[in-house]
């Protein structure tokens, strides 16, 4: 028996209420409530064996069943997944529209289909809910991915998808995208929170029951959330974000949740005419031609176990407005404000009549705080109109007291800089042990403990 029930659901966070609310009490967004109708199945009687099925076990007595991992030929993807896809796991691949999610999964199917399980090639069912199979075929031809055991369907009704799964019995399932499939039981449109949640639930059940490795593609909203609900992130085993500037070539694959491995590694790709190309040593990729002009500073950040070099550019100019502008592209806005506050208080600059624009070249956001010092020096360099050499690498976090704080993996960052032909490094004070370790690196290393010392070193013209 089924009855229909209506509820109001916040499209931003999934909060539910019996009536309309102007502001969501959960996430604080305004005007996000939409009425959704669901039909609720009423079970005639509860299965009485539910309680008897649950048993308590000692942790030592639970037998480990080793999960099979499918390694792909894309090493950057294996690295992010912690060694390949775990059989029967549910993976969410999220990213902006047009970033290359469909391209990545399609390229992955090639090496998945070449693998064998019980002497048979793995079967992949690709639900192309956004495009027609013909469009996918055209792309596959261009990418030279046409394996025998890859099946396509453009079925968008999840109940029909299940019927197809039962007839084809795939080992891998790709749902492109979760915002375009729907469950017939729910009256709201595809892409709404209830639909996404229900469809993911159904897919999760089938993935675990039939041991099908499932990749769900999800678009990201303007605010940077996986469209609709955060709830999706809790349900899946693994969440991978595909990031980058879609008007530029470089892409970073970042794992933000992984039940079967670490989340510290990233994968780096370049989008070319013939698909995504892996970049095994990405250190220099974002540094095409670092400028030797005032306002530019180079820093090294860690992405997983690898070093990436970034050029930070700053432009400081006077303004006639009472509220000067602060613009940060590629790094955190609040960190910019913090560094500006330290520059005002500890270095004595007056920035109240100055606009400040900063940009990280390359279109990839920097997340860890080791770029603070390079940011501060780029700003000073722009104000004083004195360039910092493009052969100087600047690493360090700026504290509120104007002190330069230590960051991890200094040795690795310096070694990479040395390899790429840098001559000088400005770094925080390090322990004697690390000092010894970095002493044989062929760089003129300046350890600084205060922002003012770092400025003197950075702007010094050799
Ligand atoms: P796509 O995988 O469709 O993005 P998503 O599924 O995340 O929305 O790829 C989108 C862009 O990638 C598209 O604008 C064109 C570009 N592209 C290439 O540059 N080279 C290629 O070989 C392919 C397949 C796509
Ligand atoms: Mg797509």
């Amino acid at each position: 028996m089924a009855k229909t029930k209506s509820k109001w659901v916040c499209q931003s966070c999934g909060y539910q209420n019996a009536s309309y609310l102007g502001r969501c009490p959960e996430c604080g967004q305004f005007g996000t409530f939409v009425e959704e109708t669901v039909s609720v199945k009423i079970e005639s009687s509860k299965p009485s064996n539910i309680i008897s099925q649950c048993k308590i076990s000692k942790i030592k007595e639970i037998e480990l069943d080793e999960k099979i991992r499918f390694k792909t030929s894309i090493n950057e993807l294996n690295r992010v997944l912690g060694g390949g896809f775990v059989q029967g796991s549910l993976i969410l691949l999220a990213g902006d529209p047009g970033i290359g999610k469909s391209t990545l999964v399609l390229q992955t199917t090639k090496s998945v289909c070449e693998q064998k399980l019980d002497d048979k090639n793995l079967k992949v069912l690709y639900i192309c809910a956004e495009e027609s199979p013909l469009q996918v075929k055209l792309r596959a031809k261009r990418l030279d991915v046409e394996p025998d055991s890859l099946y396509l369907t453009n079925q968008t009704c999840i109940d029909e998808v299940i019927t197809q799964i039962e007839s084809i019995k795939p080992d891998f399932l790709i749902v492109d995208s979760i915002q375009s499939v729907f469950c017939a039981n729910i009256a709201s449109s595809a892409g709404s929170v209830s639909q996404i949640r229900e469809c993911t639930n159904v897919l999760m059940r089938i993935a675990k029951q039939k041991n099908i490795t499932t990749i769900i593609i999800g678009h990201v909203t303007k605010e940077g959330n996986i469209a609709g609900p955060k709830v999706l992130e809790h349900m899946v085993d693994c969440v991978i974000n595909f990031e980058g500037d879609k008007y530029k070539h470089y892409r970073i694959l970042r794992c933000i949740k992984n039940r079967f491995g670490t989340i510290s590694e990233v994968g780096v790709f370049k989008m070319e005419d013939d698909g995504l190309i892996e970049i095994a040593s990405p250190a220099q990729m974002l540094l095409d031609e670092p400028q030797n002009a005032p306002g530019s500073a180079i820093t090294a950040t860690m992405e997983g176990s690898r070093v990436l070099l970034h050029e930070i550019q700053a432009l400081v100019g006077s303004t006639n407005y009472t509220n000067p502008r602060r613009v940060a592209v590629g790094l955190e806005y609040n960190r910019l404000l913090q560094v500006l506050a330290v520059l005002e208080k500890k270095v004595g600059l007056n920035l109240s009549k100055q606009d400040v624009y900063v940009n990280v070249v390359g279109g990839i956001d920097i997340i860890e705080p080791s770029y603070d010092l390079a940011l501060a020096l780029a700003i000073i360099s722009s104000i004083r109109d004195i360039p910092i050499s493009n052969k100087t690498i600047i690493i360090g976090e700026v504290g509120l007291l104007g002190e330069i704080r230590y960051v991890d993996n200094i040795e690795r960052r310096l070694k990479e800089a040395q390899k790429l032909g840098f001559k000088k490094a400005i770094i925080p004070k390090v322990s004697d042990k690390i000092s010894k370790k970095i002493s044989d690196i062929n760089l003129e290393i300046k350890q600084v403990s205060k922002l003012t010392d770092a400025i003197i070193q950075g702007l010094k013209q050799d």
Side-chain angles (χ1 to χ4, degrees):
M1 205 169 76
K3 78 170 188 182
T4 53
K5 195 174 114 184
S6 127
K7 58 187 176 184
W8 291 82
V9 183
C10 168
Q11 299 298 301
S12 170
C13 69
Y15 182 83
Q16 297 182 5
N17 202 49
S19 59
Y20 177 79
L21 291 176
R23 182 169 186 261
C24 175
E26 184 81 14
C27 67
Q29 300 268 351
F30 288 92
T32 50
F33 278 82
V34 169
E35 187 174 20
E36 294 185 0
T37 323
V38 284
S39 61
V40 190
K41 275 198 185 134
I42 300 170
E43 302 288 340
S44 49
S45 65
K46 272 194 176 162
S48 57
N49 58 351
I50 280 189
I51 298 169
S52 60
Q53 276 173 5
C54 301
K55 72 170 190 184
I56 299 175
S57 325
K58 282 190 175 176
I59 191 159
K60 281 192 172 171
E61 288 165 3
I62 298 174
E63 284 193 22
L64 267 186
D65 91 65
E66 268 303 308
K67 290 274 185 196
I68 303 174
R69 272 196 191 261
F70 301 116
K71 257 200 163 144
T72 69
S73 61
I74 305 176
N75 286 327
E76 293 295 296
L77 180 62
N78 296 338
R79 169 202 289 273
V80 174
L81 290 168
F85 291 104
V86 173
Q87 189 185 25
S89 62
L90 193 65
I91 298 126
L92 173 66
L93 174 62
D96 286 327
I99 203 81
K101 301 179 295 298
S102 307
T103 311
L104 179 66
V105 285
L106 199 59
Q107 282 182 262
T108 312
T109 56
K110 186 172 183 181
S111 65
V112 168
C113 289
E114 279 164 6
Q115 294 185 41
K116 292 199 180 269
L117 187 69
D118 302 333
D119 278 342
K120 271 192 270 167
N121 279 26
L122 292 184
K123 261 190 210 171
V124 180
L125 177 61
Y126 189 141
I127 299 165
C128 30
E130 281 183 357
E131 295 160 295
S132 69
L134 186 69
Q135 279 173 308
V136 178
K137 159 88 188 177
L138 283 173
R139 181 185 298 147
K141 206 165 162 80
R142 197 145 65 86
L143 297 173
D144 191 24
V145 180
E146 292 179 276
D148 257 353
S149 53
L150 172 61
Y151 297 81
L152 300 180
T153 170
N154 59 351
Q155 183 56 257
T156 50
C157 174
I158 204 81
D159 312 278
E160 294 297 320
V161 167
I162 302 230
T163 321
Q164 290 178 342
I165 290 173
E166 260 145 26
S167 73
I168 293 177
K169 299 196 171 41
D171 303 287
F172 259 76
L173 177 72
I174 296 166
V175 183
D176 187 0
S177 68
I178 193 72
Q179 276 94 6
S180 323
V181 290
F182 70 95
C183 179
N185 277 345
I186 297 176
S188 56
S189 58
S192 66
V193 176
S194 309
Q195 284 286 7
I196 291 178
R197 190 163 27 195
E198 186 54 29
C199 292
T200 310
N201 241 325
V202 172
L203 291 167
M204 181 168 69
R205 233 173 300 137
I206 199 123
K208 303 289 168 198
Q209 247 173 33
K210 301 193 184 291
N211 228 359
I212 302 174
T213 314
T214 307
I215 306 172
I216 296 176
I217 291 181
H219 293 299
V220 165
T221 58
K222 271 197 268 96
E223 293 82 35
N225 296 324
I226 295 163
K230 274 263 172 210
V231 277
L232 249 183
E233 290 184 22
H234 303 300
M235 290 158 76
V236 298
D237 297 314
C238 189
V239 182
I240 307 175
N241 268 353
F242 206 25
E243 304 168 3
D245 184 340
K246 66 179 167 189
Y247 301 108
K248 294 197 177 135
H249 294 303
Y250 293 108
R251 306 280 187 269
I252 285 200
L253 200 59
R254 209 189 288 276
C255 191
I256 53 172
K257 169 183 174 181
N258 192 354
R259 285 188 180 144
F260 308 107
T262 91
I263 55 162
S264 59
E265 287 298 345
V266 298
V268 186
F269 295 89
K270 190 173 185 190
M271 180 65 97
E272 298 270 358
D273 284 345
D274 48 355
L276 289 159
I277 315 277
E278 298 177 66
I279 302 190
S281 12
Q284 207 187 1
M285 69 174 194
L286 302 168
L287 275 191
D288 281 346
E289 287 161 30
Q291 302 293 316
N292 213 353
S296 159
I298 300 166
T299 190
T301 61
M302 295 300 298
E303 287 290 357
S305 58
R306 291 185 298 186
V307 180
L308 279 190
L309 268 59
H310 305 262
E311 180 188 351
I312 298 181
Q313 294 188 340
L315 179 67
V316 183
S318 44
T319 178
N320 293 325
Y321 292 103
T322 38
N323 286 333
R325 297 201 71 184
R326 308 284 186 242
V327 178
V329 179
L331 49 84
E332 219 187 311
Y333 181 69
N334 283 339
R335 283 212 89 82
L336 168 65
L337 297 187
Q338 188 173 312
V339 167
L340 290 177
V342 176
L343 283 172
E344 290 202 296
K345 180 88 182 169
K346 301 291 170 186
V347 186
L349 298 178
N350 180 4
L351 298 167
S352 61
K353 291 254 174 291
Q354 309 277 321
D355 283 340
V356 181
Y357 299 86
V358 295
N359 176 36
V360 178
V361 180
I364 305 256
D365 292 4
I366 327 185
I367 293 170
E368 58 151 1
S370 66
Y371 64 81
D372 278 2
L373 185 56
L375 172 63
L377 292 197
I379 294 169
I380 290 273
S381 160
S382 174
I383 295 172
R384 303 260 159 93
D385 210 21
I386 302 173
I388 299 169
S389 161
N390 60 4
K391 292 284 173 236
T392 302
I393 187 99
I394 302 160
I395 304 162
E397 186 182 340
V398 176
L400 291 180
L401 311 178
E403 83 279 23
I404 308 301
R405 304 177 69 94
Y406 178 73
V407 296
D408 286 336
N409 293 308
I410 288 272
E411 191 189 350
R412 245 197 253 171
R413 299 180 209 234
L414 292 180
K415 278 194 173 150
E416 201 64 55
Q418 176 202 4
K419 242 196 272 169
L420 296 172
F422 280 77
K423 300 271 184 288
K424 182 173 167 181
I426 301 176
I427 61 168
K429 275 252 175 321
V430 293
S431 64
D432 290 348
K433 199 172 140 204
I434 296 177
S435 267
K436 225 176 183 177
K437 273 192 194 165
I438 58 176
S439 60
D440 53 348
I441 294 178
N442 190 14
L443 285 171
E444 182 195 345
I445 297 172
K446 298 286 179 196
Q447 295 187 25
V448 290
S449 53
K450 284 193 298 199
L451 184 52
T452 40
D453 298 342
I455 294 170
I456 295 168
Q457 285 301 335
L459 301 185
K460 199 154 87 183
Q461 302 297 304
D462 299 322

